[in-house]
Amino acid sequence: MVILGTRRDAPKTRGPEDSRGYRIFRVVNTIVLIGVVVVTLYPFLNIVARSLSEEAYIIAGKVSIVPRGFDLTAYKLVTSDSMFWTNYRNTVVYTVVATLISIVLTTCYAYVLSKLRLKGRGFLIGVALFTMFFSGGLIPNYVLVTSLGMKNTIWAVVIPNAISVFNLLVMKAFFESLPSELEEAAAVDGLNTYGILLRIVLPLSKAIIATMVLFYAVSFWNSWFTAFLYIDRQDLLPVTVYLRNLIAGATSAESSGAADADKIQAAATLQAVTIVLTTLPILAVYPFVQRYFVRGVMLGAVKG
């Protein structure tokens, strides 16, 4: 007969998350992050509140983050301007076309650079890194774009900024982290290079592609200087240049004293409305791609 003895539970080991120092770190970290959120969110809430408030409360300085005297007059003024909607449509078209082109070029370039046995790989990486730190300059770029006949066209906005070297390197690191055995097995099954990329690599790269789409879309949506430099026609400008012109007009009137305080404040209200209408699409799209954001960046940045 076997007598089973009682088994004593092994003493629980305390992990680093149970220590006092870690608990203090979590409290301090939470306080700091809440402070960052407040500092980041307050200006935007103030802009939204000003866009929805009556001018009398804005002039009196009584508007903080809560609208006072709910008023949509400024929204009606901005949305009744046909040029605003023309520029808004241009921004959507520029962003969609530019993002598609950038994703295709960045994906192809990064996939090529991820091949360790590629001849000339070091040279291609060097070319990309060189453009990251050095550029031809503003005037040579302007002369080049003009001589190519791209001025006052969508291509003047899309082509010069088609590839971000930072995004290229992140995507390259992600492709290098994929198991090489997958591509070898696909090659044995008869797939060529393009078939491997389209049928094996890209389906496994949804997270990094979604992250790159977010990066490029936000960049092109917020971009105004390229269009301001290469486009002269008002009907081809993006909405960011429309907003820039509003801000510049109000600033110049205020500095020259050409307008009274009420007119300057009215211009500031129109600026707030335009900022809100400009940022709404990005705020609406971001929640749908946010879940890919952290995973995509981490997969592309950490290897091992």
Side-chain angles (χ1 to χ4, degrees):
M1 184 177 64
V2 179
I3 301 176
L4 298 178
T6 59
R7 182 177 61 87
R8 295 182 179 180
D9 294 335
K12 295 182 178 180
T13 58
R14 296 182 59 184
E17 65 276 4
D18 297 326
S19 64
R20 180 182 178 185
Y22 184 76
R23 291 196 298 269
I24 294 175
F25 167 77
R26 290 184 59 183
V27 172
V28 173
N29 192 37
T30 302
I31 295 174
V32 171
L33 290 179
I34 291 175
V36 171
V37 170
V38 171
V39 171
T40 305
L41 198 58
Y42 178 81
F44 183 74
L45 293 178
N46 178 255
I47 290 292
V48 174
R50 289 174 58 185
S51 68
L52 296 172
S53 301
E54 291 183 356
E55 289 187 17
Y57 291 100
I58 299 175
I59 295 173
K62 297 181 179 180
V63 179
S64 56
I65 61 174
V66 179
R68 300 290 299 274
F70 188 78
D71 187 10
L72 296 176
T73 303
Y75 281 91
K76 294 177 182 178
L77 288 175
V78 173
T79 55
S80 62
D81 186 0
S82 60
M83 187 56 65
F84 170 80
W85 292 112
T86 300
N87 295 156
Y88 210 99
R89 180 199 62 200
N90 294 339
T91 300
V92 174
V93 173
Y94 294 166
T95 301
V96 172
V97 174
T99 301
L100 288 176
I101 292 177
S102 295
I103 287 297
V104 172
L105 294 179
T106 303
T107 301
C108 294
Y109 198 175
Y111 183 68
V112 168
L113 296 182
S114 67
K115 302 305 170 188
L116 301 179
R117 299 180 181 179
L118 176 70
K119 293 182 178 180
R121 176 175 179 268
F123 173 76
L124 294 176
I125 295 177
V127 170
L129 292 177
F130 183 84
T131 62
M132 189 175 186
F133 298 103
F134 304 98
S135 65
L138 187 61
I139 295 178
N141 285 337
Y142 181 84
V143 172
L144 176 62
V145 170
T146 304
S147 62
L148 292 176
M150 294 192 299
K151 188 177 180 181
N152 286 323
T153 66
I154 183 177
W155 310 118
V157 178
V158 173
I159 300 300
N161 302 308
I163 296 181
S164 167
V165 179
F166 173 80
N167 295 345
L168 174 69
L169 296 178
V170 172
M171 210 165 194
K172 164 184 164 295
F174 173 82
F175 288 147
E176 290 177 345
S177 67
L178 294 177
S180 59
E181 291 79 8
L182 291 176
E183 298 186 30
E184 294 172 0
V188 171
D189 289 339
L191 288 180
N192 57 19
T193 302
Y194 300 102
I196 293 173
L197 175 62
L198 295 176
R199 301 179 62 178
I200 303 297
V201 176
L202 292 185
L204 297 174
S205 308
K206 293 179 181 179
I208 192 68
I209 290 176
T211 303
M212 294 299 107
V213 168
L214 178 64
F215 281 175
Y216 277 120
V218 172
S219 175
F220 285 115
W221 185 272
N222 292 331
S223 176
W224 67 272
F225 185 72
T226 304
F228 179 75
L229 186 63
Y230 299 128
I231 296 179
D232 298 330
R233 292 172 48 183
Q234 292 291 328
D235 60 324
L236 294 178
L237 293 173
V239 73
T240 47
V241 178
Y242 180 94
L243 174 60
R244 179 261 171 197
N245 293 337
L246 277 180
I247 296 175
T251 303
S252 61
E254 183 178 2
S255 60
S256 62
D260 56 25
D262 292 347
K263 292 183 179 179
I264 294 175
Q265 190 60 57
T269 304
L270 293 178
Q271 294 171 24
V273 172
T274 308
I275 291 173
V276 172
L277 293 177
T278 302
T279 55
L280 277 180
I282 293 297
L283 293 178
V285 171
Y286 183 80
F288 296 99
V289 296
Q290 188 269 343
R291 64 194 182 101
Y292 297 104
F293 181 74
V294 175
R295 182 173 54 175
V297 172
M298 292 303 295
L299 287 175
V302 179
K303 184 178 179 182

